[in-house]
Amino acid sequence: MRPTKLTISAFGPYAGEMTLELERLGDRGIYLITGDTGAGKTTIFDAITFALYGNASGENRKPRMLRSKYALAEARTFVEMEFVYNGKTYRLRRNPEYLRAKQRGEGETKERPDALLELPDGNVITGDRTVTARVEELVGLNREQFSQIAMLAQGSFSRLLSGRTEDRGAIFREIFRTRPYQKFQERLKDKAKGLYGAYADSVKSIGQYAGGVMAEDGERWRAAVESKDLEAMLDLLEEMIREDESGAAGLEQDLKAVRERSGLLGQRLGEARSAAKAQEDAQRAEQELRENRPLFEEAKAVFEREKGRAGEREQLIGEISRAQENLKAYDEHDRLAADSRACQAEAKGMETVEAAAGNEAETLGLKLQELQEELDRLQTVGEELVAARNAAERLGQNQQRIAAHARELSEYRAEERKLAAAQREYQAADQARRAREGEYQELYQVFLDSQAGILAAGLKPGQPCPVCGSLEHPAPAGRAAAGDGTEERPGACGAGAAVHEARGDGAAVHEAPGAGTAIHEAPSRPSHTPVTKEQVDAASRRAKEASDAAAKLSLRAGGVKGSLDQRFERIKEQVEAEIGGWKESWQERIRGAQAKGREAFLEEWKLVLEQLDGVLRRQAEAGEQTIRGLEEQAKRRGQLEAQKKKAVQDLENCRERRQEAGKARLRAETRRTELERQIAELKKRLPHGERAAAEAELTEHRRRLLAMEQALNAAEKRLNEYSGRVSAAEARAQALNRQLEAFYRQQEERCVICAATQGSLSPMQDSSPEAQLSPSDWVRQLEAELAGTGEILERLEAGRNRLHHRLETNRLARDNMVRQQAAMEAARQQWTWVKAMADTAAGEVNGKDKITFETYVQMAYFERIIARANARFMVMSGGQYELKRCMEEDGRGKNGLGLSVIDHYNGSERSARTLSGGESFQASLSLALGLSDEIQSQAGGIRLDTMFVDEGFGSLDGESLNLAVKALAGLAEGNRLVGIISHVPELKERIEKQIVVTKEKSGGSRAEIDI
């Protein structure tokens, strides 16, 4: 995963919107993120992490804290990032939750967190959590893993180097998620503690159960409890339970005998009470018979008398039937009279409807006339609207044409400015060309003069000159040197050379804007320094490059000039075509300006276009007003047409209603006449003149019949009532007498049995008829005997209950003690081996190293981290140092994650805390890189194409800094890009590719890429 473009807006210290083209940094190597302290160097990595996962890289920077405090109220906070993964490009945009100014009105509104992920195939995923899940699926890392692998944060790994086992364990716990092993240790410890508690609870419970035992011999039981011999206590308790069980069996036999006697007495008492009650009920039944027989005879006589009036009741029923038939005729009379009144009302109502419909028809006729008059006035509005719209369309075309002319003129002016810039660039380049050519000519002349001096130095008298062949050398040339200020003329031999002063400092000619070659100040030469051929050749090349650049710019300026002339000719053609139909005064105005020259013509054309634009705008506004008015009139005409159509339909409906109302009135009057005729004929057949007399006659007949029927029913009911009373009393008296006879026979039989067996269950031994007791006497004597038996039963049951309570209590105590004995033994055995396992996992075994189970697991990770770290630490330390896991030196606290360093220069091993500041940084950085590699391996071998290293380089000397940078460069092998976040000046000089972060005086920061 490699970011290629990052846009930050109102994020952290960056107040405005800022874009970093990270693609410019390349796809491999190292680059530097540098700048002022607190300017926002680390914020760049925070922005990348936030874009991917919706959170910054650090736990102390929450998403809602990411909005810039320097941002304007209306500015939006977001991060947009493009990145490449597996050769495909993705685009992310994400914003946190923050408050911003409302777009409408005053106050603030909360912007909800949101995210967008654009995939290479063009599909888009939205939603904060959905995008985060898709990124984790794509990259294969969550935020914590990405932060640990991609960012080696400032100071985060010094604790890993200098901390103790507890410190490193805490770091590894979060990184490698070894907390489950720690929790396993804690669960083992809690388990052992719980098992010991269960054992103690069992011992305590046995004591409590023993204290609840109920013993007749309390001293003996207390002695057994105080001995704390559980087996002896259980044996004694078992013996006590057997003794109580034997006593309980004897009590149950006694209780059974007493209960049987009590039950028999209760049975006989019940029989006696039933007989006593039967005797009382029989006496009451005889009394009831004596009272109800006379009443029964009287009711019987009344019933027979009423029954004999049946003929009189039949006669009344016939009269009532005839009266009811007569009432039906009155009902028909009333119905006909009601129908007659309804017809009269209907006729009157239809007459009213007929009149109202006539009035409404007259009103609608007047309204229809008014609508037609207004429609006639709006007859031509449609044609006027079409004409106005056509005029507006033509006016719009004119405006577009004038706007096109204005754009053409504006583009001409822009191209004119482009030509001026090209000419300035050419002039600057030509000046540079002349300066370079002058420099070359001077150096070349000095070089030639120097060559003449060298030849002259070799001349000897009498020997021919190699140039002219002369044997005499009256004025040989001297050696020319740059800056000596002398000049020599050639002698007779022709070997002299003019020595001209060569300038020791070239003219400083800088590249003009747009020039192809940068020409810098010529390097100064010390006085009396000979000019070499290489210097002359270099000056020649610079002169040629300057000449080529000037020629290129000249060609470019010529091309712009030609294009400008062509555009001017096109403008002239457009003007001629445009003003052909204008007024003569306007044409003369344009042609007069054209005669004054190009600039006057263009200025006049611009002025004319502006005036025309104003006129056309005013005409367009007036046309729009005209169209709006005509559209309103057309709309009104449509409304009038609809109203007219509705009025015509309403008028037709009114006429139809008037006709229908007249027909309905005639039908109602005809019907009423017929009903009056039928009423007159019906009155002739009625027996009474009024309905009330007929109803009164019928009511009287019904009253008399009802009185006779009520008298008959009452007599029959009274007869049935007394008949039932007499029959019930007779039956009840007979049944009760039979029950008393059976009771006396049973008592006689029991007396005979008791006398034969000498029993004592009968209170009366004499069975003679004269000595028989009444049922009431039997009840009193049996109740007394049953009360005595009840007292005996209560005493036996109380003893039995006490014994049963003691038995149940002691049995429960015995069972609980036996159960707790088993639980106590099981808890003791389990606690023994769980305690041993908990001590082992917690590193608390006597005589062993204090290594916990979690530390043991972390040791494997630590060994791999150290192995990966040594691959870089050996390079950064020049092969001097190597890290090694060891036990803590003092042996206090937890152990297993100690760290020492092996010094290969002297063969010693010492604590890593003894390293110097620079060495500590190297070791910390190596551990950080090793940890990053291990985490990356744990994440499935995922490779990130970008990573960051934050600070720590300030403590290194020059050589150590070289080694650290070399190690980081090794990280960038292949296609990996490593960003170093630092403000160390030496790194600015060593690393060419940089992102420079600067604080603004107005607040906030800005960042730029410097390659």
Side-chain angles (χ1 to χ4, degrees):
M1 193 286 296
R2 177 172 58 84
T4 57
K5 184 178 180 181
L6 182 66
T7 300
I8 302 173
S9 175
F11 187 89
Y14 300 98
E17 183 173 328
M18 177 196 71
T19 300
L20 293 175
E21 298 290 346
L22 301 178
E23 185 68 30
R24 296 176 57 195
L25 299 174
D27 60 357
R28 68 194 69 190
I30 61 176
Y31 65 94
L32 180 67
I33 303 176
T34 185
D36 304 328
T37 301
K41 300 186 292 295
T42 306
T43 304
I44 293 176
F45 180 72
D46 283 342
I48 293 173
T49 307
F50 173 75
L52 290 170
Y53 299 102
N55 274 291
S57 59
E59 295 296 336
N60 56 343
R61 294 187 289 274
K62 302 300 181 184
R64 62 177 178 274
M65 301 164 56
L66 298 177
R67 180 168 171 82
S68 175
K69 63 181 178 181
Y70 306 108
L72 298 176
E74 65 273 11
R76 292 186 176 274
T77 298
F78 68 89
V79 175
E80 184 171 318
M81 182 178 74
E82 293 181 5
F83 65 93
V84 175
Y85 188 77
N86 286 338
K88 297 180 180 179
T89 301
Y90 299 79
R91 186 175 71 86
L92 267 170
R93 182 184 176 98
R94 193 187 293 267
N95 66 270
E97 178 182 308
Y98 65 94
L99 294 177
R100 61 169 177 82
K102 291 183 177 179
Q103 294 180 350
R104 296 181 181 177
E106 299 180 353
E108 293 182 325
T109 183
K110 180 182 289 187
E111 191 77 17
R112 298 293 182 186
D114 197 10
L116 177 146
L117 173 61
E118 184 177 337
L119 302 177
D121 59 4
N123 289 330
V124 176
I125 299 174
T126 59
D128 189 56
R129 295 184 179 178
T130 305
V131 169
T132 300
R134 185 67 178 88
V135 168
E136 291 179 353
E137 178 184 351
L138 176 68
V139 180
L141 300 171
N142 58 29
R143 184 185 68 87
E144 292 78 10
Q145 291 171 325
F146 177 81
S147 300
Q148 292 160 359
I149 295 174
M151 166 60 92
L152 308 183
Q154 51 186 0
S156 298
F157 295 94
S158 60
R159 290 188 296 122
L160 191 60
L161 177 69
S162 59
R164 297 180 59 82
T165 293
E166 291 86 345
D167 301 326
R168 296 188 183 97
I171 295 172
F172 292 158
R173 181 177 301 124
E174 299 303 324
I175 294 176
F176 296 114
R177 305 183 185 278
T178 61
R179 190 176 300 278
Y181 300 101
Q182 182 194 36
K183 291 183 177 178
F184 177 69
Q185 296 169 197
E186 295 171 353
R187 284 200 298 271
L188 279 177
K189 186 176 181 180
D190 293 341
K191 181 67 174 176
K193 184 178 179 181
L195 288 171
Y196 184 78
Y199 171 77
D201 289 343
S202 296
V203 174
K204 183 178 179 182
S205 295
I206 289 174
Q208 291 174 344
Y209 293 138
V213 171
M214 302 175 67
E216 284 188 326
D217 189 352
E219 291 298 329
R220 184 182 177 192
W221 176 248
R222 279 194 296 273
V225 171
E226 291 173 357
S227 69
K228 296 184 179 180
D229 186 348
L230 183 57
E231 293 297 334
M233 292 165 58
L234 289 173
D235 291 342
L236 178 57
L237 182 58
E238 192 66 37
E239 181 182 346
M240 292 163 53
I241 290 172
R242 286 195 299 270
E243 292 176 355
D244 286 342
E245 287 175 345
S246 177
L251 278 175
E252 286 295 337
Q253 292 178 355
D254 294 341
L255 278 169
K256 181 179 180 181
V258 174
R259 283 197 188 99
E260 290 176 353
R261 178 177 176 82
S262 177
L264 184 56
L265 288 173
Q267 178 184 356
R268 295 186 63 184
L269 178 60
E271 294 170 353
R273 286 174 177 168
S274 296
K277 186 175 184 306
Q279 189 176 37
E280 294 175 359
D281 291 343
Q283 292 173 357
R284 283 195 295 271
E286 293 294 338
Q287 179 64 29
E288 188 175 348
L289 279 172
R290 288 192 295 271
E291 292 174 354
N292 286 309
R293 275 198 179 99
L295 296 174
F296 169 73
E297 295 298 334
E298 179 183 352
K300 185 177 179 181
V302 171
F303 175 72
E304 291 297 335
R305 184 174 64 249
E306 291 296 331
K307 188 176 179 182
R309 299 178 66 185
E312 187 177 353
R313 287 194 295 272
E314 291 293 333
Q315 182 180 358
L316 280 174
I317 290 172
E319 291 177 358
I320 289 172
S321 297
R322 288 190 294 274
Q324 288 176 341
E325 290 296 327
N326 292 334
L327 280 179
K328 290 180 180 179
Y330 285 108
D331 291 340
E332 179 67 15
H333 175 273
D334 293 343
R335 184 185 65 78
L336 293 173
D339 289 347
S340 176
R341 289 191 297 272
C343 288
Q344 184 180 6
E346 183 179 359
K348 187 175 182 180
M350 289 298 103
E351 185 178 359
T352 303
V353 171
E354 188 176 7
N359 295 333
E360 185 178 356
E362 183 179 356
T363 302
L364 287 172
L366 294 175
K367 181 179 179 181
L368 190 60
Q369 183 179 357
E370 294 174 356
L371 291 173
Q372 186 61 47
E373 290 174 357
E374 189 172 357
L375 281 170
D376 293 340
R377 290 195 296 272
L378 298 176
Q379 182 104 20
T380 62
V381 68
E383 299 173 356
E384 294 175 0
L385 179 60
V386 171
R389 286 174 176 168
N390 292 335
E393 184 177 357
R394 291 193 298 273
L395 190 61
Q397 294 172 354
N398 293 335
Q399 285 182 307
Q400 293 177 359
R401 197 169 61 255
I402 295 302
H405 292 327
R407 285 195 301 273
E408 183 71 23
L409 183 58
S410 176
E411 292 172 359
Y412 175 86
R413 291 301 189 189
E415 197 161 348
E416 197 174 41
R417 291 191 294 273
K418 185 177 179 182
L419 174 61
Q423 289 173 342
R424 287 194 298 272
E425 291 176 0
Y426 166 71
Q427 291 169 1
D430 187 59
Q431 182 180 358
R433 177 190 62 77
R434 289 195 296 271
R436 288 304 187 194
E437 288 179 351
E439 177 187 0
Y440 165 69
Q441 293 297 332
E442 290 183 23
L443 288 176
Y444 184 65
Q445 186 61 50
V446 171
F447 175 72
L448 292 178
D449 292 345
S450 298
Q451 295 301 313
I454 293 171
L455 290 174
L459 293 177
K460 295 181 180 180
Q463 293 184 357
C465 174
V467 177
C468 63
S470 176
L471 298 176
E472 296 180 357
H473 314 293
R479 290 203 178 192
D484 61 359
T486 62
E487 182 178 348
E488 295 186 7
R489 300 294 178 183
C493 68
V499 181
H500 302 283
E501 180 181 1
R503 289 190 302 170
D505 54 339
V509 183
H510 298 282
E511 179 187 10
T517 306
I519 305 173
H520 301 283
E521 182 180 354
S524 62
R525 298 184 302 277
S527 299
H528 310 292
T529 301
V531 177
T532 65
K533 186 176 185 303
E534 287 77 8
Q535 290 176 320
V536 174
D537 292 341
S540 175
R541 285 193 301 272
R542 289 195 295 273
K544 186 178 185 306
E545 290 172 356
S547 177
D548 293 344
K552 184 178 179 181
L553 290 173
S554 175
L555 182 62
R556 177 185 172 191
V560 175
K561 179 67 168 62
S563 174
L564 188 66
D565 291 341
Q566 291 177 1
R567 187 179 290 274
F568 178 71
E569 292 300 325
R570 188 163 62 249
I571 290 176
K572 287 172 58 179
E573 293 173 359
Q574 293 173 354
V575 171
E576 288 298 329
E578 182 66 36
I579 67 175
W582 289 9
K583 295 179 180 179
E584 289 293 334
S585 59
W586 284 68
Q587 293 183 18
E588 292 175 0
R589 177 180 171 185
I590 295 297
R591 292 193 175 96
Q594 188 174 3
K596 294 178 183 178
R598 178 182 295 191
E599 187 61 29
F601 167 69
L602 293 174
E603 286 298 323
E604 185 65 26
W605 178 236
K606 178 182 178 182
L607 181 61
V608 168
L609 290 177
E610 291 175 350
Q611 292 176 352
L612 285 174
D613 182 64
V615 171
L616 291 174
R617 277 202 304 271
R618 289 191 294 274
Q619 291 178 353
E621 292 173 358
E624 289 178 358
Q625 291 179 356
T626 301
I627 289 173
R628 284 196 295 271
L630 290 172
E631 287 176 343
E632 289 294 329
Q633 293 180 8
K635 182 179 179 181
R636 174 60 181 165
R637 179 177 175 80
Q639 294 173 347
L640 291 173
E641 293 285 356
Q643 292 177 6
K644 176 183 175 182
K645 182 177 180 181
K646 184 176 184 302
V648 170
Q649 184 64 40
D650 291 345
L651 181 60
E652 183 66 23
N653 293 338
C654 284
R655 289 169 179 170
E656 291 179 359
R657 287 200 306 275
R658 184 177 181 185
Q659 291 177 359
E660 292 297 327
K663 294 178 182 179
R665 177 175 57 78
L666 290 175
R667 287 195 299 271
E669 290 175 352
T670 303
R671 172 66 176 159
R672 180 168 178 271
T673 302
E674 176 62 22
L675 290 173
E676 291 294 333
R677 184 188 65 77
Q678 294 178 7
I679 290 171
E681 290 180 357
L682 185 61
K683 283 183 177 179
K684 296 177 182 178
R685 300 198 304 268
L686 295 176
H688 298 283
E690 297 294 336
R691 179 187 183 92
E695 289 178 347
E697 182 181 12
L698 177 60
T699 301
E700 177 62 22
H701 290 331
R702 286 175 175 171
R703 185 192 65 75
R704 289 175 58 197
L705 178 61
L706 178 62
M708 294 174 68
E709 289 178 347
Q710 288 176 346
L712 176 62
N713 292 335
E716 185 178 7
K717 180 179 179 182
R718 189 162 181 267
L719 174 63
N720 292 335
E721 178 184 354
Y722 286 112
S723 175
R725 289 181 183 180
V726 170
S727 298
E730 288 176 346
R732 193 165 57 254
Q734 291 174 2
L736 291 172
N737 287 328
R738 286 195 296 273
Q739 182 179 350
L740 284 173
E741 291 174 359
F743 173 74
Y744 284 123
R745 284 196 303 271
Q746 186 179 39
Q747 297 309 315
E748 290 175 0
E749 292 173 358
R750 285 175 177 165
C751 288
V752 173
I753 294 172
C754 287
T757 58
Q758 298 297 317
S760 59
L761 288 178
S762 175
M764 187 69 184
Q765 301 296 328
D766 190 358
S767 60
S768 61
E770 298 83 8
Q772 282 187 349
L773 296 176
S774 67
S776 299
D777 295 335
W778 276 96
V779 169
R780 286 191 293 275
Q781 292 189 23
L782 287 171
E783 285 178 346
E785 187 174 350
L786 186 59
T789 306
E791 293 176 359
I792 297 171
L793 186 61
E794 288 178 1
R795 287 195 299 272
L796 291 174
E797 286 181 343
R800 191 271 316 267
N801 290 339
R802 286 193 299 272
L803 190 56
H804 278 188
H805 176 63
R806 186 165 69 228
L807 265 174
E808 291 300 321
T809 301
N810 292 346
R811 285 171 180 164
L812 182 61
R814 177 196 61 190
D815 295 342
N816 288 332
M817 289 170 70
V818 170
R819 186 178 67 255
Q820 288 297 331
Q821 180 186 27
M824 179 183 68
E825 183 60 25
R828 186 189 64 78
Q829 293 178 0
Q830 191 176 7
W831 171 77
T832 301
W833 64 265
V834 171
K835 179 67 166 59
M837 184 182 293
D839 290 343
T840 302
E844 296 177 355
V845 178
N846 292 331
K848 301 290 184 180
D849 290 329
K850 296 181 179 180
I851 300 175
T852 66
F853 182 40
E854 182 189 24
T855 303
Y856 181 77
V857 175
Q858 292 172 346
M859 284 163 55
Y861 289 111
F862 198 25
E863 291 282 3
R864 292 198 291 268
I865 292 169
I866 291 173
R868 297 177 187 274
N870 280 331
R872 297 182 177 89
F873 191 33
M874 290 286 287
V875 174
M876 282 190 270
S877 65
Q880 181 178 1
Y881 294 119
E882 181 181 0
L883 296 172
K884 178 184 177 184
R885 186 186 64 80
C886 67
M887 296 297 174
E888 300 289 353
E889 294 178 356
D890 53 13
R892 294 177 298 173
K894 301 302 180 185
N895 215 327
L897 296 179
L899 186 64
S900 64
V901 62
I902 299 175
D903 190 338
H904 289 290
Y905 284 6
N906 55 27
S908 64
E909 181 179 344
R910 52 193 171 92
S911 172
R913 289 190 288 270
T914 62
L915 292 172
S916 65
E919 293 168 345
S920 295
F921 169 74
Q922 292 174 348
S924 297
L925 180 59
S926 299
L927 283 172
L929 296 173
L931 180 59
S932 176
D933 291 344
E934 179 61 23
I935 295 172
Q936 198 164 207
S937 175
Q938 291 292 318
I942 293 171
R943 177 175 176 84
L944 292 179
D945 298 327
T946 299
M947 69 181 301
F948 297 82
V949 180
D950 193 357
E951 286 296 357
F953 296 91
S955 61
L956 301 181
D957 57 24
E959 180 62 24
S960 298
L961 187 60
N962 281 335
L963 294 173
V965 172
K966 181 179 179 182
L968 292 174
L971 290 176
E973 294 177 356
N975 291 328
R976 177 179 284 184
L977 193 63
V978 179
I980 300 175
I981 302 175
S982 178
H983 58 266
V984 175
E986 290 80 356
L987 289 176
K988 297 180 184 179
E989 299 174 1
R990 296 170 187 268
I991 302 176
E992 295 181 355
K993 295 185 289 186
Q994 298 180 6
I995 297 178
V996 182
V997 184
T998 307
K999 284 185 177 180
E1000 300 281 2
K1001 293 183 179 180
S1002 59
S1005 300
R1006 61 182 175 84
E1008 297 176 343
I1009 296 178
D1010 186 8
I1011 304 297

